Amino acid sequence: ADPILEVKNLHVHFETHDGTAEVINGIDFTIERGETAALVGETGCGKSVTVKSIMGLLPSATIPEGEIRYKGEDVLSLSDAERHSRRGKEMSMIMQDPMTSLNPVLTVGEQMMDVLKWQGRPRLSLSKLVRDALSTGSKAEYRRRAIEMLGEVEISAPERVFESYPVELSGGMRQRVLIAIALLSEPDLLIADEPGTALDVTTEAKVLDLLDELVEERDTSVLYITHDLGVAREVSDRINVMYAGEIVEQAPTADLFANPQHPYTRGLLESIPTLSTGIGDGIEGHLPDYTDPPAGCRFADRCPHAEPACYDAYPYPRQTGPDHATACHLFSGTPARERHESLAA
Ligand code: SF4
Ligand code: MG
């Protein structure tokens, strides 16, 4: 095993006027090099908070416990400047909404040139003048690479799109531009937060296929965030099912579908046919209050198998198979974290 990313016992809290919200409650997961891992769960389950913690994009949160290791290095102990430098070259992110993640007042080309000029350097605190002076490559060279990248995401008129403003492009085109921008810096880890969800189903499928091909060619590791278990099945090697700030089940994709264990996972599977309405729809009820989470299982209120003990005793993840872990009292096995720790040692 050669993990590119290891998240261990991560806790993320936010202060709210109702008290401390325990939004991420001790999650563990690993992404091996070249692997595509998915983090699946309904809106509000903590997927985006998890990826923002990895990217260092949560200034208002506290991380009372846990580790995030990227290529073995503890990213939580990095300075802001070091984090910025990892963010371009090493880790790249595709956001779910192309309209808000592209800058409306700059052309596609200007945004791409900016990435090429500033990759691998802290850029927030430098003035434009200083930044231009520091830039190494030539303008013509950057332009050529940007247009070539637009071609790679199968944009048919790359020169025209290079000169366009985001508002002049279709949703599918904007999503392709975002993928091009994310791949420009040749990241080793790509984090994709529901790419394509803003698009119609056919366009989304095309964008996902394209992304799949591009990361395959480059051997890029991917963390894929989605509410849709059907999408996760298409794109990922391994699935982590998340519920209310915890990972309730994790397994290789084929195993998870062959032998789904956690009642939440099974509920998600039953709701796959309603692709367009989203994954939570098949399961009645809603996420618990993060400022006052249950002492026992966070899913108990919605679980068809809940027993009195589920409300009191916290279901720690258990190793239910050689490469399968589930956090539910219905399943026994050795504690998964100990296995995680012995693997890492
Ligand atoms: Fe359901 Fe109990 Fe398992 Fe929680 S621990 S998922 S309430 S059976
Ligand atoms: Mg989200």
Side-chain angles (χ1 to χ4, degrees):
D2 181 18
I4 189 157
L5 184 79
E6 298 160 279
V7 174
K8 290 187 200 169
N9 192 25
L10 180 70
H11 291 253
V12 182
H13 293 177
F14 292 88
E15 290 312 320
T16 75
H17 42 253
D18 296 323
T20 303
E22 299 170 16
V23 174
I24 302 296
N25 191 35
I27 61 170
D28 297 85
F29 69 95
T30 298
I31 305 176
E32 302 296 333
R33 272 176 208 264
E35 184 183 64
T36 295
L39 207 50
V40 184
E42 68 201 283
T43 303
C45 74
K47 305 177 303 260
S48 294
V49 170
T50 303
V51 303
K52 284 179 185 154
S53 310
I54 296 166
M55 299 290 287
L57 296 173
L58 281 179
S60 63
T62 54
I63 298 183
E65 245 187 294
E67 262 175 52
I68 299 173
R69 291 193 171 273
Y70 179 71
K71 296 181 179 172
E73 181 180 53
D74 180 8
V75 298
L76 294 176
S77 64
L78 296 178
S79 68
D80 281 353
E82 287 167 323
R83 267 171 183 280
H84 282 301
S85 74
R86 303 299 187 283
R87 209 181 285 155
K89 186 90 184 153
E90 299 267 3
M91 295 188 208
S92 211
M93 187 156 171
I94 304 173
M95 305 291 223
Q96 52 185 291
D97 184 353
M99 211 46 216
T100 54
S101 26
L102 288 169
N103 187 335
V105 302
L106 297 177
T107 63
V108 166
E110 285 166 332
Q111 299 183 57
M112 295 184 87
M113 301 281 276
D114 206 44
V115 172
L116 287 168
K117 275 190 213 163
W118 303 115
Q119 59 176 274
R121 283 190 212 96
R123 46 184 173 159
L124 295 187
S125 54
L126 299 176
S127 73
K128 181 149 187 344
L129 207 69
V130 176
R131 289 192 289 149
D132 279 343
L134 279 172
S135 159
T136 46
S138 76
K139 252 192 162 161
E141 187 187 314
Y142 290 145
R143 186 174 197 280
R144 188 193 51 74
R145 273 202 60 201
I147 289 173
E148 188 181 86
M149 194 65 233
L150 290 172
E152 284 190 60
V153 297
E154 292 168 12
I155 284 174
S156 53
E159 273 94 0
R160 186 179 59 74
V161 170
F162 184 88
E163 306 294 345
S164 303
Y165 289 91
V167 72
E168 299 174 296
L169 305 173
S170 69
M173 204 78 113
R174 285 197 290 263
Q175 191 69 67
R176 282 166 199 269
V177 166
L178 276 191
I179 294 173
I181 290 176
L183 292 175
L184 263 184
S185 49
E186 294 164 33
D188 290 328
L189 176 66
L190 181 69
I191 299 181
D193 190 355
E194 311 230 21
T197 33
L199 307 172
D200 66 81
V201 179
T202 326
T203 317
E204 178 184 12
K206 280 192 199 143
V207 167
L208 296 184
D209 279 351
L210 169 72
L211 186 57
D212 209 26
E213 247 171 64
L214 292 168
V215 298
E216 190 72 33
E217 278 166 24
R218 290 166 169 73
D219 207 26
T220 310
S221 310
V222 184
L223 176 57
Y224 212 100
I225 308 304
T226 178
H227 64 277
D228 188 330
L229 204 45
V231 166
R233 181 182 208 168
E234 293 301 313
V235 300
S236 64
D237 306 311
R238 166 175 284 277
I239 295 181
N240 300 282
V241 179
M242 201 164 179
Y243 182 77
E246 295 167 354
I247 289 177
V248 296
E249 185 164 0
Q250 54 190 202
T253 303
D255 285 17
L256 191 92
F257 278 83
N259 181 22
Q261 296 177 340
H262 196 280
Y264 180 64
T265 309
R266 286 189 252 148
L268 290 183
L269 282 168
E270 279 157 24
S271 47
I272 281 186
T274 63
L275 274 182
S276 55
T277 54
I279 220 156
D281 293 356
I283 306 168
E284 302 250 319
H286 34 78
L287 290 159
D289 178 355
Y290 286 116
T291 61
D292 186 21
C297 176
R298 287 188 170 193
F299 187 57
D301 275 344
R302 299 170 77 179
C303 180
H305 307 285
E307 303 210 352
C310 298
Y311 290 89
D312 301 324
Y314 184 77
Y316 284 98
R318 301 261 162 193
Q319 211 60 53
T320 58
D323 199 13
H324 200 140
T326 300
C328 167
H329 294 310
L330 296 175
F331 297 88
S332 53
T334 54
R337 184 162 300 142
E338 279 166 26
R339 178 180 177 271
H340 196 92
E341 255 134 39
S342 70
L343 277 180

